[in-house]
Amino acid sequence: MMPAPRKYPLELRDRAVRMYRAAEPKPVIRRMAEELGVHHEALRTWIRQAEADAGERDDLLTSAEREELVALRKENAQLKRANEVLRTASAFFAAQLDPTRPR
């Protein structure tokens, strides 16, 4: 499964976050988003993620933690499928080896 295409280029995202973080006083996100031609909630999300990645927020996962979580969930799903296959094979072979067991 491929990720959804990005609406905004990564360069725009990075530049917008850098501009916001460098500005003093902090600009109004809605106004800055309008000037950049992006949705204000997209800009707010990018800023919050950059803050999490910089260790400035404890309420969000960092990008690395998010990637690790995705990989672990995928691995967990694969292991569950493998366990189900092994459970089914085990029951099948147990039935084949025990002639007294009703089928």
Side-chain angles (χ1 to χ4, degrees):
M1 186 162 66
M2 292 184 52
R6 295 187 182 274
K7 183 172 182 176
Y8 303 108
L10 288 175
E11 301 81 41
L12 172 62
R13 175 184 178 159
D14 293 341
R15 192 179 97 226
V17 170
R18 274 196 315 275
M19 285 172 53
Y20 177 84
R21 290 175 63 84
E24 285 299 331
K26 293 296 178 218
V28 175
I29 290 177
R30 189 177 290 266
R31 188 172 307 129
M32 184 179 170
E34 286 175 15
E35 292 169 4
L36 293 171
V38 301
H39 193 275
H40 64 276
E41 286 302 324
L43 179 58
R44 185 181 321 279
T45 300
W46 300 341
I47 292 166
R48 289 177 52 160
Q49 189 61 57
E51 290 169 349
D53 290 347
E56 299 165 7
R57 295 185 74 106
D58 292 335
D59 61 330
L60 295 175
L61 295 175
T62 65
S63 294
E65 290 169 332
R66 194 176 304 279
E67 289 172 12
E68 181 183 19
L69 183 60
V70 167
L72 289 172
R73 285 180 174 161
K74 183 184 280 187
E75 180 183 4
N76 193 28
Q78 290 171 338
L79 291 171
K80 283 181 177 180
R81 282 193 299 274
N83 270 345
E84 190 54 41
V85 168
L86 291 172
R87 194 174 293 115
T88 303
S90 175
F92 173 79
F93 287 118
Q96 296 298 311
L97 293 174
D98 185 1
T100 62
R101 189 166 179 222
R103 296 186 194 220

